[in-house]
Amino acid sequence: MSAKSIDISSVQTELEETFRAFNHLSAQLSSSYNTLEDKISRLNNELALANRERLEQLAEKERLAARLSNLLTALPAGVLVIDAEGVVQQANPAAVAIVGEPLVGELWRVIISRVFTPAKDAGTDAVTIDGRRVTISTCPLGTDPGQIILMVDVTETRALQEALTRHKRLTAMGEMAARLAHQIRTPVASCLLYASHLVRPKLGETERRRYADKVLSQLRHLEHIVNDTMSFTRGAKAGNEVIVIGELVSALVQGVEAQLSENDCQLDVMDQAPGARVQGDHEALLSALQNLVTNAIQACGVGGRMHLTVHVSKAHQGLSAVDLVFSDDGPGIPENAKERIFEPFFTTRPNGTGLGLAVVQAVIQAHGGAIWLESAPKKGATFVMRLPMLNSSPDNKQAMRKERKAAHKRNAA
């Protein structure tokens, strides 16, 4: 075989291998192209789906924004959006109606000075220059700097509340007058009857003295009614005197000594808080304690025994108070009377005014304190009076408010 034929055969072999390699690469390229087309088609479908979802979300956000805008427009309360510099960025129509314009772009503090005026009797309300009452509350904008201010015009609400309070006060005065008339009628009728016997010309000295004593007894009862009524009407006020509890208790013992002796009763005092002081009206607190003694004597009868224990109470964190625990060995308070025991004009005694314990509760509450009853039938009655100590902190006042609510629940239980 010649050299020329060998070269042709070698070239032909190389060409065949080249074509095979080319065909193989073409097949690979074709497969890769098909795979790429599939991926592009899939990505196009995913992109179309994502675009559709994004458009739907955008449309939902637009509907939500429109709904919120309509809600702000229809909302009767005024809403202001204020940025970190205190500039009003957005306001609804109700806000414009309350504070007027200009509004958007104005400093909130400038609007306050322009629209509102100081008022001592407004409580938590803000008062506009034209006399309207507005409640204002704020909340942060979340992660964004600034605040949302909510304003509500409560002028009509406050007027209705004042009218209702006035109506209740007049109703209470009418009920009080009716009950007082009923309370006074019996002793007055008795006085008239006994006085008519006194003017009889042939009345003996013994009978004259007996009728005179009866007249005096009924007049004392009338005086007791009048004193209780006056104490009840004055009981909602507290003074600014610094009162040492030990001195108050000493004054109580001296003031009721004759009454205790007359009824052969005994009052034991245990002062476990020497030097404890409260702020208020000495005479009002003394009168309240005397009322408790009088009630106990009337409940216990001759030979009764009473206990007054004074100690400092620290029932829970934040509470600093003086407890005066008054108990007796009388018959106790009936179960069906417990929840009404502090109600004005409610009494379980035929000759009672029903104002004694109401006066005590009014005085204690006026001094920022709480009173509640602890009593079991035939086991005597115990009244716990809790008064905040002098110079108590705001936290202590909050704690005492909780104590009053708890006392109300105990008395209603």
Side-chain angles (χ1 to χ4, degrees):
M1 182 179 294
S2 64
K4 186 176 181 180
S5 61
I6 293 174
D7 291 338
I8 292 173
S9 175
S10 174
V11 170
Q12 185 177 359
T13 301
E14 290 179 358
L15 285 173
E16 289 175 355
E17 289 178 356
T18 301
F19 276 118
R20 278 197 299 270
F22 177 77
N23 289 333
H24 180 69
L25 288 173
S26 295
Q28 286 183 337
L29 286 173
S30 178
S31 175
S32 298
Y33 180 75
N34 291 333
T35 302
L36 183 60
E37 277 190 331
D38 291 340
K39 287 184 178 180
I40 291 174
S41 177
R42 227 173 19 251
L43 289 173
N44 284 334
N45 291 335
E46 291 176 358
L47 182 60
L49 180 61
N51 285 335
R52 186 164 60 251
E53 291 178 351
R54 183 174 174 278
L55 290 174
E56 289 176 354
Q57 291 175 357
L58 186 60
E60 180 62 27
K61 289 181 179 179
E62 289 177 351
R63 285 194 297 271
L64 180 60
R67 192 179 304 122
L68 289 175
S69 179
N70 292 334
L71 179 62
L72 284 175
T73 301
L75 197 67
V79 178
L80 298 178
V81 179
I82 297 177
D83 63 16
E85 284 72 34
V87 177
V88 177
Q89 298 295 323
Q90 188 176 355
N92 69 341
V96 175
I98 292 173
V99 300
E101 292 182 315
L103 195 52
V104 176
E106 293 287 314
L107 284 169
W108 173 235
R109 65 174 179 271
V110 174
I111 296 171
I112 291 175
S113 62
R114 185 187 75 218
V115 176
F116 298 101
T117 182
K120 294 182 180 179
D121 61 343
T124 57
D125 297 339
V127 180
T128 62
I129 292 176
D130 57 0
R132 289 174 296 135
R133 289 175 176 260
V134 179
T135 61
I136 301 176
S137 56
T138 63
C139 67
L141 278 174
T143 56
D144 297 332
Q147 287 182 323
I148 295 177
I149 295 179
L150 180 68
M151 299 180 294
V152 180
D153 190 333
V154 294
T155 306
E156 293 184 3
T157 303
R158 296 292 183 263
L160 289 173
Q161 289 173 343
E162 290 176 4
L164 179 60
T165 301
R166 186 165 56 251
H167 175 72
K168 288 181 177 179
R169 190 162 55 246
L170 291 173
T171 302
M173 288 176 63
E175 291 178 356
M176 183 175 180
R179 294 187 183 187
L180 274 177
H182 177 74
Q183 293 276 352
I184 292 173
R185 181 171 54 190
T186 300
V188 167
S190 299
C191 284
L192 290 174
L193 176 63
Y194 297 137
S196 67
H197 289 308
L198 284 174
V199 298
R200 286 163 47 189
K202 296 183 179 180
L203 188 67
E205 183 62 27
T206 301
E207 290 183 325
R208 189 183 304 278
R209 185 180 299 276
R210 182 166 61 89
Y211 287 132
D213 288 341
K214 290 182 178 293
V215 170
L216 287 174
S217 174
Q218 294 301 318
L219 288 176
R220 289 193 189 99
H221 182 52
L222 278 174
E223 183 184 29
H224 182 58
I225 293 174
V226 172
N227 288 339
D228 276 354
T229 304
M230 293 178 65
S231 296
F232 179 68
T233 57
R234 291 196 305 257
K237 295 181 180 179
N240 295 316
E241 300 175 62
V242 175
I243 303 169
V244 179
I245 294 296
E247 296 177 0
L248 178 69
V249 173
S250 297
L252 169 68
V253 173
Q254 293 176 8
V256 299
E257 187 175 3
Q259 193 177 2
L260 291 169
S261 177
E262 183 181 344
N263 291 274
D264 193 24
C265 293
Q266 184 174 345
L267 174 62
D268 299 323
V269 177
M270 182 180 295
D271 188 356
Q272 299 176 339
R277 299 182 301 168
V278 299
Q279 182 173 325
D281 188 317
H282 184 278
E283 290 302 317
L285 287 174
L286 180 60
S287 176
L289 292 175
Q290 288 173 339
N291 256 316
L292 286 180
V293 173
T294 301
N295 279 359
I297 290 174
Q298 293 172 347
C300 296
V302 176
R305 189 170 185 134
M306 285 140 279
H307 308 271
L308 178 58
T309 304
V310 182
H311 62 89
V312 174
S313 172
K314 292 184 179 179
H316 52 76
Q317 187 176 7
L319 178 65
S320 177
V322 181
D323 280 1
L324 292 91
V325 183
F326 189 90
S327 59
D328 61 57
D329 61 358
I333 309 296
E335 287 293 331
N336 59 356
K338 281 185 177 181
E339 64 182 35
R340 300 186 61 194
I341 198 67
F342 292 106
E343 182 179 314
F345 299 105
F346 174 78
T347 181
T348 57
R349 297 194 306 272
N351 295 324
T353 65
L355 286 174
L357 290 176
V359 169
V360 175
Q361 185 184 55
V363 169
I364 297 299
Q365 290 182 348
H367 285 73
I371 180 172
W372 62 89
L373 168 69
E374 296 177 354
S375 177
K378 299 181 181 180
K379 292 185 179 179
T382 297
F383 292 92
V384 181
M385 293 159 285
R386 182 164 288 170
L387 295 168
M389 294 187 70
L390 183 67
N391 299 326
S392 57
S393 65
D395 289 341
N396 195 55
K397 293 179 181 179
Q398 178 67 25
M400 287 304 304
R401 280 193 286 270
K402 292 180 180 178
E403 287 294 299
R404 284 193 291 276
K405 291 180 180 179
H408 179 73
K409 291 180 180 179
R410 293 190 194 104
N411 295 328

